[in-house]
Amino acid sequence: MQTRTLGAAALKVSALGLGCMGMSHGYGPAKPKEEMKNLIHEAFDLGVTFFDTAECYGPFANELLVGEALEGIRDKVVLATKCGIHIDENGRQLLDARPEAIRKSLEGSLKRLRTDVIDLYYLHRVDPKVPVEEVAELMGEFIREGKIRGWGLSEAGPKTIARAQAVTKLTALQSEYSMMFRDPEAKILPLLKAENIGFVPFSPLGKGFLTGAITADAKFGNDDCRHIIPRLQGENLHANMKLVAEVQELARAKNATPAQIALAWVLAQGDFIAPIPGTTRLERLKENLGALRVEFSSDELAHIRELLDATPVAGDRYPAELAKRVAE
């Protein structure tokens, strides 16, 4: 398994990690626990050493699942989880990055994950009510206490990253990045590289869209997070099938699958990048890991960039309310 090293904590992780959210949250009904535990074990056996979860996935169900699954191999993997999103009794997501709330979250995560230290602890979304410097200072305390090895931000912009980095060095930023969403290329990727901060892209397969498995007339259930994504609805979805066709053509030329092309392309953007595609199926897991065998020449990468530049994506990646949670 190829490896990547992330940021200030120098966490050595498998080049492809496993995003565990969809096993119990976000993409329809939760899958059978024993089946998902077996999948996590299969991933480890195949070389995956980087597993990602969060307090709010469920809430709590995903951390409990991952904690059970990793028992016995905990010292052989890098474990990431997140704080800062509280689910109220009505199922609403509320941002809460107050130091007392984060400390309570950390203690809960440690118990659910059956560990005494979390390798990578993210602030899931920046809380505008709490200066990020306060969060960074608290994360520094956690590191000194030996409760976390490194910390990160999710969906934060350059200004917020710089403010946090000035207080306690960041290990990673986790944000969306794929052939379908390339905004981080302008300012985020150069900053991360310059500051030695790892990048952990979520949705590197465009929430499954880039695999070609989503048809132009697809409908998503209310328990599937994609039902509110503007670019995966109606006319936008139809228009974006052109991007899928381009990826499929690239896949044919490389004797690979569209998913492998999409993941290999993300990996090729820098050695500080470790994507975390999610899946609930062993055959998809194996397919995704096959991306590590796909290599692009500089000419091929330039060609792909030209194709992507010429194929604009229709629709926003978030509805307006969720877009507000992306910090500057």
Side-chain angles (χ1 to χ4, degrees):
M1 171 61 73
Q2 300 169 27
T3 60
R4 301 280 166 102
T5 301
L6 302 179
L11 296 178
K12 187 176 180 181
V13 301
S14 52
L16 279 179
L18 180 62
C20 298
M21 181 186 82
M23 298 178 182
S24 52
H25 170 88
Y27 288 93
K31 306 303 185 292
K33 179 186 272 191
E34 290 304 314
E35 189 178 316
M36 294 301 97
K37 285 168 61 177
N38 289 338
L39 183 65
I40 290 172
H41 295 158
E42 292 273 9
F44 176 74
D45 289 343
L46 290 167
V48 176
T49 61
F50 187 26
F51 296 88
D52 183 272
T53 181
E55 177 185 48
C56 75
Y57 297 162
F60 310 136
N62 201 244
E63 282 190 330
L64 289 166
L65 163 68
V66 172
E68 284 187 34
L70 295 181
E71 201 166 28
I73 56 171
R74 173 66 189 93
D75 61 339
K76 298 179 176 65
V77 303
V78 172
L79 179 56
T81 191
K82 312 176 194 73
C83 64
I85 295 181
H86 170 68
I87 309 295
D88 72 7
E89 60 275 10
N90 297 313
R92 294 177 301 181
Q93 294 188 359
L94 306 175
L95 301 186
D96 190 352
R98 293 172 299 152
E100 60 269 29
I102 291 179
R103 188 170 284 277
K104 181 179 178 182
S105 290
L106 176 59
E107 295 303 328
S109 290
L110 287 167
K111 290 177 182 176
R112 288 186 291 273
L113 291 166
R114 305 185 182 198
T115 187
D116 56 4
V117 60
I118 289 167
D119 300 300
L120 179 50
Y121 197 46
Y122 294 103
L123 179 64
H124 207 155
R125 291 292 185 274
V126 176
D127 183 350
K129 303 184 298 298
V130 180
V132 75
E133 289 85 353
E134 288 187 20
V135 177
E137 187 172 346
L138 179 65
M139 294 294 183
E141 290 179 19
F142 292 159
I143 292 170
R144 290 188 290 276
E145 292 169 7
K147 292 183 176 179
I148 68 174
R149 292 197 168 93
W151 82 289
L153 295 167
S154 182
E155 293 281 50
K159 293 179 182 178
T160 303
I161 293 168
R163 288 167 53 198
Q165 176 80 340
V167 178
T168 302
K169 298 296 184 186
L170 288 154
T171 294
L173 173 76
Q174 182 176 135
S175 290
E176 186 169 358
Y177 182 51
S178 71
M179 286 175 149
M180 197 176 191
F181 181 70
R182 296 166 56 213
D183 285 17
E185 293 175 357
K187 295 180 180 179
I188 296 291
L189 293 190
L191 174 62
L192 299 182
K193 186 173 184 179
E195 293 288 333
N196 185 32
I197 300 170
F199 187 38
V200 180
F202 69 78
S203 297
L205 295 172
K207 295 181 170 59
F209 183 72
L210 294 171
T211 68
I214 295 174
T215 61
D217 57 354
K219 304 292 182 184
F220 303 103
N222 289 338
D223 56 359
D224 188 320
C225 65
R226 292 173 291 188
H227 86 280
I228 61 169
I229 304 299
R231 62 182 45 170
L232 297 179
Q233 309 300 317
E235 293 181 2
N236 290 335
L237 180 57
H238 277 268
N240 291 330
M241 297 308 292
K242 181 180 178 184
L243 175 59
V244 173
E246 296 285 10
V247 177
Q248 289 172 329
E249 184 60 33
L250 291 168
R252 282 189 286 271
K254 296 290 283 187
N255 194 27
T257 69
Q260 290 167 348
I261 292 296
L263 291 172
W265 179 85
V266 171
L267 286 163
Q269 305 311 305
D271 61 6
F272 59 99
I273 300 174
I276 48 167
T279 186
T280 59
R281 294 162 52 193
L282 179 59
E283 62 267 31
R284 280 292 191 192
L285 172 66
K286 290 179 176 178
E287 177 187 352
N288 290 347
L289 293 175
L292 296 167
R293 297 190 295 270
V294 177
E295 296 182 356
F296 298 113
S297 68
S298 56
D299 286 347
E300 286 173 325
L301 287 172
H303 172 63
I304 293 172
R305 185 161 297 277
E306 289 177 2
L307 285 178
L308 296 177
D309 287 344
T311 313
V313 175
D316 295 327
R317 70 183 181 113
Y318 283 140
E321 190 58 35
L322 290 183
K324 294 176 183 177
R325 295 186 177 183
V326 179
E328 293 186 348

